[in-house]
Amino acid sequence: MKKVKAKACSNIALVKYWGKRNIPLNLPAVASISVTLDTLFTETEVRFDPELKNDILVLNGSLASEKDTQRMAKFLDLIREKSKNKNCAYVESTNNFPTSAGLASSASSFACLALAAGRAAGLDLPKSKLSELARLGSGSAARSIFGGFVEMAIGKKDDGSDCIAHQLFPKEHWDLTVLIAITSEKKKKTGSTDGMESSRLTSPFYKPWITSSPKDMDEMREAIIQKDFEKVAEVAEFSCLKMHALALATNPGLIYWNGTTVDAMHHVREMRENGTPVFFTIDAGPQVKAICPAEYSGQVQKQLEQLPGVIRVIKTGLGGDAIVVEEKRVG
Ligand code: DP6
């Protein structure tokens, strides 16, 4: 029996994923590009144990809710199907960032679980296969297997085997800092999974969202290759605002922003107009992520901290691949 501990970093998309082309296989309807975040990570330890009658999840030191445990158990079933290990698992997972702050934890959680549980079950999967596995837990998790700048392909195959992420560049390619302005600590009403499905079913903007995505991908990929900050800023804000337009035009409308979110967007644009290279992006929540070259991070952080309504600012650089931290034989 093996006990395996892994670590995976969270990520933030510069070209957003919103909408699925296949729900059971969790296949995104659009490709995406993200950066992996160094300071925000999950550590997960897994041991499959013949003595256990059910899967157990301890999340941040407490027994997890039935819902979270079920979601994990469903994911572990996939690993049990692929491996010879049919036992239940004891899983301890911690996020080093406040989950109450509404920061996405599914990306780092499922990437970490795919690596730790896969290994503990005796599977030795290459990164591309880990990415495919992580995607079955959460679309954005496929990207968290890799560090630096990451592209998630939409894929062509029906079985999803080519719907995986790969690294465009390691973090050393470009020293960027992400400053996360926390504007609310309330739990959001509609999570990404339900929100994007509602958008697919009801938003009149869903079709143009899909058809306009390849251009954003091509432009973002090229801008990252060229380290063209202005272009990255333009495409990232465009993709973010387009995703939120789609969410707003969902019925009933999904309003992920609060007043401070909007103020922070204006503020970031003002900074840019005044010569500071910085842009914003926002996921399915009210927090604003400002991205700038590392040398500007001090001044951007200070400006965001001074904005009324901003509770605090979390600073992070770009992170690396998901890794195994510890592997032990037990029992
Ligand atoms: C707005 O990966 O959380 O953060 O695949 O249903 O688990 P599921 O969705 P999830 O969605 C992420 C949506 C987003 C944009 C992005 O990260 O690309």
Side-chain angles (χ1 to χ4, degrees):
M1 210 159 61
K2 257 199 277 182
K3 190 158 94 174
V4 179
K5 186 174 181 179
K7 174 185 166 185
C9 296
S10 179
N11 72 72
I12 170 92
L14 303 179
V15 174
K16 303 288 185 196
Y17 145 50
W18 195 256
K20 300 179 203 278
R21 66 183 166 95
N22 177 318
I23 293 177
L25 287 177
N26 208 29
L27 302 180
V30 289
S32 54
I33 292 179
S34 62
V35 287
T36 302
L37 305 176
D38 178 39
T39 318
L40 281 65
F41 59 85
T42 300
E43 283 189 311
T44 302
E45 191 172 79
V46 180
R47 133 177 91 79
F48 287 91
D49 188 337
E51 308 276 295
L52 290 174
K53 299 265 176 296
N54 300 94
D55 292 318
I56 296 174
L57 172 61
V58 176
L59 197 54
N60 297 321
S62 319
L63 205 59
S65 67
E66 187 59 29
K67 194 175 163 222
D68 286 341
T69 309
Q70 281 306 318
R71 192 172 177 190
M72 178 197 70
K74 229 179 106 197
F75 185 76
L76 292 178
D77 285 343
L78 299 167
I79 292 175
R80 283 185 280 255
E81 270 166 36
K82 288 183 204 294
S83 76
K84 289 196 192 85
N85 201 323
K86 307 295 171 206
N87 295 324
C88 289
Y90 184 83
V91 180
E92 261 183 275
S93 190
T94 48
N95 293 316
N96 80 324
F97 52 95
T99 11
S100 61
L103 294 170
S105 61
S106 69
S108 53
S109 300
F110 280 103
C112 204
L113 187 62
L115 179 56
R119 205 58 171 245
L123 296 173
D124 197 11
L125 299 171
K127 289 209 162 88
S128 56
K129 283 283 161 202
L130 275 174
S131 178
E132 187 186 344
L133 181 59
R135 189 208 70 231
L136 291 159
S138 178
S140 53
R143 301 187 308 236
S144 271
I145 294 296
F146 301 96
F149 298 80
V150 182
E151 173 166 350
M152 172 78 187
I154 172 177
K156 288 194 179 78
K157 295 185 185 162
D158 287 341
D159 68 357
S161 56
D162 57 350
C163 187
I164 54 174
H166 71 275
Q167 186 180 64
L168 289 173
F169 287 103
K171 60 182 178 169
E172 292 75 21
H173 174 65
W174 201 357
D175 194 5
L176 298 179
T177 298
V178 181
L179 297 145
I180 305 168
I182 306 294
T183 66
S184 166
E185 298 191 306
K186 279 193 212 136
K187 202 172 158 25
K188 60 185 168 194
K189 290 195 188 92
T190 313
S192 309
T193 309
D194 294 340
M196 62 175 76
E197 183 53 8
S198 269
S199 296
R200 184 181 74 82
L201 293 171
T202 66
S203 179
F205 300 162
Y206 190 72
K207 244 198 184 139
W209 162 252
I210 304 292
T211 51
S212 63
S213 153
K215 183 166 180 271
D216 298 346
M217 287 296 292
D218 290 345
E219 289 185 354
M220 180 59 79
R221 202 183 301 108
E222 190 55 28
I224 292 172
I225 292 170
Q226 302 298 338
K227 296 195 220 173
D228 179 345
F229 191 86
E230 262 175 50
K231 190 68 186 175
V232 169
E234 178 203 314
V235 181
E237 288 191 358
F238 180 54
S239 174
C240 162
L241 292 174
K242 211 165 27 158
M243 183 196 98
H244 283 276
L246 177 69
L248 288 163
T250 295
N251 192 7
L254 300 165
I255 310 170
Y256 286 112
W257 303 340
N258 59 36
T260 310
T261 315
V262 178
D263 287 345
M265 286 192 265
H266 285 300
H267 198 63
V268 166
R269 284 204 164 167
E270 245 166 61
M271 282 192 256
R272 193 156 80 244
E273 276 155 24
N274 293 329
T276 307
V278 59
F279 65 89
F280 64 78
T281 188
I282 304 160
D283 283 336
Q287 327 305 1
V288 178
K289 287 92 172 184
I291 303 180
C292 63
E295 61 269 32
Y296 291 90
S297 63
Q299 71 192 70
V300 172
Q301 178 161 10
K302 216 187 230 158
Q303 294 241 14
L304 286 174
E305 277 168 352
Q306 280 165 4
L307 198 71
V310 170
I311 301 166
R312 64 178 184 284
V313 175
I314 299 172
K315 178 180 166 178
T316 171
L318 303 193
D321 288 4
I323 51 164
V324 171
V325 180
E326 210 181 327
E327 195 164 351
K328 267 195 223 149
R329 291 229 147 261
V330 286

